[in-house]
Amino acid sequence: TLGFGMTTPATVAGKVFLIIYGLFGCAGTILFFNLFLERIISLLAFIMKACHERQLRRSGLLPPNFRRGPAMSGVGSLVGWKPSVYHVMLILGIFAITLSCCASAMYTAVEGWNYIDSLYYCFVTFSTIGFGDLVSSQNAAYQNQGLYRFGNFIFILMGVCCIYSLFNVISIVIKQVLNWVLKKFKCRCCPKCHKSSARLGRRNAITPGARLRRHNISMDADGQYDSDTEGRRLSGEMISMRELTASNKVSLAILQKQLSETANGYPRNVCINTRQNGFSAGVGALAIMNNRLAETSDSR
């Protein structure tokens, strides 16, 4: 995907071969870059976790004879620990700069470019922009030409892999920054918009406390309704999951019944013998599927 353009196919057969070969070659290259990204992130996470464990030992939070294994689950300081994406970005950035500086030194000595042009060539090449204004290995002869081309190949391969990994990590950081900015400025300049959206949410949703006060729903120990008409909402209304789950008085049985009625468009009589048929209860799509399976089992 560099596309320098100094060597191109001239015949029709060569162009057709390039299209077919490039289809699989580019796909395989992207797969290779993704695998490299997984391995380099795993390696960095392993190294950073080892450094974190050493820091915990020095601070006295871990015993000196601590070893990785089942005992790790008992250490609160390491449970769920993950490396920071900013630290990973910093390490990849340092590695990319170091690799570019080493490659630029080689291009300056062999190609005769100045150091700034060599750095520019490294970025354009490693980022797969490939303008083609500067291309290596284009002179007629070099000293130790085979060794230079091999070193050029290694630098380009490692540079592209490293910059590809760095771009992926930077994209994650940019997404986090944008989400933070949008969260800070969400409807801050227009309070009326926020009020109208809240009003629409209240109109389309059921408030569990008000529903319980109006209908005075009573349930037995098994969580079933005394009356099948109590606690039922209109089929055209939407349920606010946040309001439903926020109320301590609304049980999962009510939520399961309302979601089942929403999916089918009309009130349904949920089978009472669900647990007897071996289908466990659930919430959302799982609850709807369990109801269907339970009714099918009863009909058979």
Side-chain angles (χ1 to χ4, degrees):
T1 60
L2 293 180
F4 282 139
M6 72 284 190
T7 303
T8 58
T11 62
V12 176
K15 295 177 181 178
V16 172
F17 174 77
L18 176 64
I19 293 174
I20 298 175
Y21 181 80
L23 180 64
F24 296 97
C26 291
T29 303
I30 293 174
L31 176 61
F32 175 77
F33 289 160
N34 290 329
L35 294 176
F36 180 86
L37 174 62
E38 293 178 1
R39 300 304 184 271
I40 195 67
I41 294 299
S42 300
L43 178 62
L44 291 178
F46 177 80
I47 296 175
M48 294 173 67
K49 192 166 187 177
C51 296
H52 181 68
E53 291 178 5
R54 180 178 297 180
Q55 184 179 2
L56 291 178
R57 287 194 185 95
R58 290 180 179 178
S59 60
L61 298 177
L62 283 180
N65 56 353
F66 174 77
R67 294 291 183 271
R68 296 183 182 91
M72 184 178 295
S73 59
V75 182
S77 302
L78 292 177
V79 174
W81 183 88
K82 293 182 180 179
S84 174
V85 65
Y86 302 103
H87 294 164
V88 175
M89 181 182 66
L90 179 63
I91 294 174
L92 287 175
I94 294 175
F95 184 73
I97 292 175
T98 303
L99 190 66
S100 299
C101 291
C102 295
S104 298
M106 183 186 69
Y107 295 134
T108 300
V110 178
E111 297 289 346
W113 303 333
N114 58 54
Y115 198 77
I116 301 299
D117 288 341
S118 299
L119 284 175
Y120 163 77
Y121 169 77
C122 289
F123 177 78
V124 171
T125 303
F126 296 166
S127 60
T128 68
I129 295 175
F131 284 136
D133 49 350
L134 293 176
V135 181
S136 61
S137 300
Q138 295 302 301
N139 294 337
Y142 293 94
Q143 293 181 355
N144 300 322
Q145 185 172 0
L147 182 62
Y148 169 65
R149 289 186 175 179
F150 178 76
N152 189 22
F153 168 75
I154 295 298
F155 273 122
I156 291 178
L157 180 63
M158 296 300 298
V160 171
C161 291
C162 185
I163 294 296
Y164 176 82
S165 303
L166 182 62
F167 283 169
N168 279 273
V169 177
I170 292 176
S171 66
I172 297 175
V173 175
I174 292 175
K175 182 180 178 181
Q176 291 179 354
V177 173
L178 290 178
N179 289 334
W180 179 81
V181 172
L182 292 176
K183 186 177 180 181
K184 289 294 182 181
F185 291 96
K186 182 180 180 182
C187 291
R188 181 171 293 181
C189 58
C190 184
K192 295 181 180 180
C193 178
H194 180 70
K195 292 180 180 179
S196 62
S197 62
R199 191 181 302 111
L200 288 176
R202 288 193 296 268
R203 186 185 69 179
N204 292 330
I206 297 176
T207 304
R211 172 65 64 179
L212 289 176
R213 286 192 297 268
R214 288 197 305 266
H215 293 280
N216 192 14
I217 299 176
S218 60
M219 300 179 63
D220 56 9
D222 293 335
Q224 301 297 331
Y225 293 102
D226 290 340
S227 175
D228 190 50
T229 59
E230 291 182 350
R232 180 176 298 164
R233 61 178 185 81
L234 298 178
S235 60
E237 285 185 295
M238 296 178 62
I239 300 175
S240 175
M241 299 297 297
R242 180 178 298 178
E243 292 179 355
L244 281 175
T245 54
S247 175
N248 295 328
K249 297 180 180 179
V250 178
S251 63
L252 290 179
I254 301 176
L255 179 60
Q256 179 176 344
K257 185 177 182 66
Q258 290 175 343
L259 289 173
S260 178
E261 293 174 2
T262 303
N264 295 280
Y266 57 89
R268 295 176 57 89
N269 293 325
V270 181
C271 179
I272 300 178
N273 298 324
T274 301
R275 295 182 180 178
Q276 297 178 1
N277 295 327
F279 303 112
S280 59
V283 178
L286 181 59
I288 298 172
M289 183 186 68
N290 289 335
N291 292 336
R292 293 288 181 87
L293 292 175
E295 293 173 358
T296 305
S297 178
D298 285 343
S299 62
R300 291 180 181 177

